[in-house]
Amino acid sequence: MRRRDFLALASGAAGAAAWPLAARAQQSERVRRVGVLMALAANDPEAQLRVSALESGLRELGWERAAGAGG
């Protein structure tokens, strides 16, 4: 649909009723990312404890690890 056609439709009575639905349908869920830099080796027990504690805290706050995320 061309922009002009859409605006003509949106300005009509039927378009005005459909406008909130069309606007919501175009918005996607916001993706948030957390990155962590550490000066410790990945196999260091201290590093593993810290990463585990961070992941646990984030899970308690409702965050989840994305599929395919490294680490």
Side-chain angles (χ1 to χ4, degrees), residues 6-19:
F6 177 76
L7 291 175
L9 177 65
S11 64
W19 177 257

Side-chain angles (χ1 to χ4, degrees), residues 13-45:
W19 177 257
L21 296 176
R24 265 188 252 125
Q26 294 176 4
Q27 296 174 355
S28 63
E29 186 175 327
R30 189 168 154 183
V31 177
R32 297 182 174 150
R33 294 176 179 89
V34 174
V36 177
L37 298 176
M38 292 183 165
L40 299 170
N43 61 354
D44 183 346

